[in-house]
């Protein structure tokens, strides 16, 4: 069981009504994505929203507090959240519906299976906040942080596009994230420090609040895609 799944055990939430699900959720199955990616739409603003606006993506959006806050504050930008936990997405969708947000959508799918659908230079920002560490050997196949992810992000971001990485797991950050990013000249840190600590957005996810309450340090990188 992943750490996010563990926290969601304590959230009681029924599915939103059919009309709300139809508006906000694309439920795509891993097998179908793997066998026939050409049958799915490209992940760009025009295809998903019918409007050519800047598009921001959150990988592993969980219950959507952060992404819904961004969507509410930036009505001229479209937002897409990808998450594999359906129960988490129900919470996120209810938040979007309660705010009557028209500039946000969610996809239920593993992000790795969406790589073929990422349109080149279609994203203005990507958020990878609190990815599952997957540090145990038997869970390594879940680990999303690898060169394939960096290749996909570089392809999808516009030149100068933003990539935000946040984690509470020191081992993951120091042994995987930092070395991987620093070895890739395609991304440049926007801050003079090697890395940042702390993350104080207007809306924190219940996941961040839980780990901060346990005293975890938050590690962060903010990067731009080089031309």
């Amino acid at each position: 069981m992943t750490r996010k799944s563990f926290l969601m055990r304590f959230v009681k939430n029924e599915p939103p009504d059919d009309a709300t699900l139809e508006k906000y959720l694309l439920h795509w199955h891993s097998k179908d994505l793997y066998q026939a990616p050409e049958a799915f739409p490209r992940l760009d603003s025009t295809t998903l929203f019918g409007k050519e606006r800047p598009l921001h993506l959150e990988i592993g959006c969980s219950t959507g507090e952060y992404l819904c806050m961004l969507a509410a504050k930036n009505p001229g930008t479209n937002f897409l959240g990808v998450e594999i936990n359906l129960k988490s997405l129900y919470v996120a969708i209810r938040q979007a519906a309660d705010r009557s947000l028209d500039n946000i959508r969610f996809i239920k799918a593993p992000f790795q299976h969406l790589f073929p659908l990422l349109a080149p230079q279609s994203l203005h920002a990507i958020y990878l906040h609190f990815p599952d560490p997957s540090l145990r050997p038997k869970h390594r196949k879940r680990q999303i942080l690898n060169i394939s992810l960096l290749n996909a992000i570089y392809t999808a971001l516009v030149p100068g596009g933003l990539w935000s990485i946040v984690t509470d797991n020191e081992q993951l950050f120091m042994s995987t994230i930092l070395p991987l990013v620093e070895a890739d000249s395609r991304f440049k840190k926007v801050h003079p420090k090697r890395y940042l600590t702390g993350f104080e957005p207007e809306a924190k996810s219940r996941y961040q609040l839980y780990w901060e309450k346990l005293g975890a340090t938050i590690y962060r990188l903010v990067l731009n895609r080089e031309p």
Side-chain angles (χ1 to χ4, degrees), residues 65-82:
E65 289 85 0
Y66 181 68
L67 202 64
C68 286
M69 177 272 292
L70 291 178
K73 290 177 68 68
N74 300 278
T77 298
N78 291 327
F79 293 86
L80 178 64
V82 177

Side-chain angles (χ1 to χ4, degrees), residues 64-111:
E65 289 85 0
Y66 181 68
L67 202 64
C68 286
M69 177 272 292
L70 291 178
K73 290 177 68 68
N74 300 278
T77 298
N78 291 327
F79 293 86
L80 178 64
V82 177
E83 173 60 47
I84 62 173
N85 187 294
L86 190 58
K87 195 172 181 181
S88 297
L89 285 174
Y90 287 160
V91 177
I93 289 167
R94 286 192 180 280
Q95 291 184 74
D98 288 345
R99 298 186 182 195
S100 300
L101 298 176
D102 292 321
N103 61 333
I104 191 168
R105 299 289 185 276
F106 301 95
I107 296 177
K108 198 279 185 190
F111 185 66

Side-chain angles (χ1 to χ4, degrees), residues 172-225:
L172 175 68
F173 187 78
M174 296 300 180
S175 66
T176 301
I177 295 176
L178 205 53
L180 191 65
V181 170
E182 290 183 333
D184 197 320
S185 61
R186 296 175 298 177
F187 301 97
K188 182 179 180 180
K189 298 172 188 175
V190 304
H191 40 82
K193 294 182 178 181
R194 189 181 182 197
Y195 57 87
L196 305 173
T197 56
F199 183 52
E200 297 297 329
E202 185 174 315
K204 293 184 179 182
S205 68
R206 64 184 65 202
Y207 186 81
Q208 179 178 353
L209 291 171
Y210 176 83
W211 291 107
E212 284 183 336
K213 189 179 293 185
L214 295 180
T217 298
I218 306 300
Y219 298 91
R220 184 160 63 101
L221 291 172
V222 184
L223 310 159
N224 282 150
R225 176 205 191 270

Side-chain angles (χ1 to χ4, degrees), residues 104-123:
I104 191 168
R105 299 289 185 276
F106 301 95
I107 296 177
K108 198 279 185 190
F111 185 66
Q112 299 95 317
H113 292 177
L114 301 180
F115 288 176
L117 307 182
L118 293 169
Q121 299 188 17
S122 59
L123 299 173

Side-chain angles (χ1 to χ4, degrees), residues 11-152:
V11 176
K12 294 182 179 180
N13 193 62
E14 296 298 322
D17 61 79
D18 290 344
T20 301
L21 287 175
E22 184 177 0
K23 176 177 180 178
Y24 289 108
L25 181 64
L26 296 168
H27 191 160
W28 294 345
H29 296 283
S30 299
K31 182 179 178 181
D32 298 330
L33 286 164
Y34 179 76
Q35 293 182 341
E38 69 279 359
F40 293 85
R42 298 297 292 273
L43 301 184
D44 60 55
S45 203
T46 301
T47 302
L48 294 171
F49 295 88
K51 295 180 180 180
E52 184 52 50
R53 291 175 170 174
L55 178 62
H56 292 199
L57 166 72
E58 184 171 12
I59 304 168
C61 65
S62 191
T63 46
E65 289 85 0
Y66 181 68
L67 202 64
C68 286
M69 177 272 292
L70 291 178
K73 290 177 68 68
N74 300 278
T77 298
N78 291 327
F79 293 86
L80 178 64
V82 177
E83 173 60 47
I84 62 173
N85 187 294
L86 190 58
K87 195 172 181 181
S88 297
L89 285 174
Y90 287 160
V91 177
I93 289 167
R94 286 192 180 280
Q95 291 184 74
D98 288 345
R99 298 186 182 195
S100 300
L101 298 176
D102 292 321
N103 61 333
I104 191 168
R105 299 289 185 276
F106 301 95
I107 296 177
K108 198 279 185 190
F111 185 66
Q112 299 95 317
H113 292 177
L114 301 180
F115 288 176
L117 307 182
L118 293 169
Q121 299 188 17
S122 59
L123 299 173
H124 287 70
I126 295 176
Y127 310 103
L128 179 60
H129 291 179
F130 303 101
D132 195 290
S134 304
L135 295 172
R136 295 181 182 178
K138 68 177 182 179
H139 294 156
R140 289 288 168 82
K141 63 181 180 179
R142 299 175 183 167
Q143 178 58 260
I144 192 174
L145 284 147
N146 52 43
I147 190 62
S148 295
L149 175 69
L150 269 66
N151 291 339

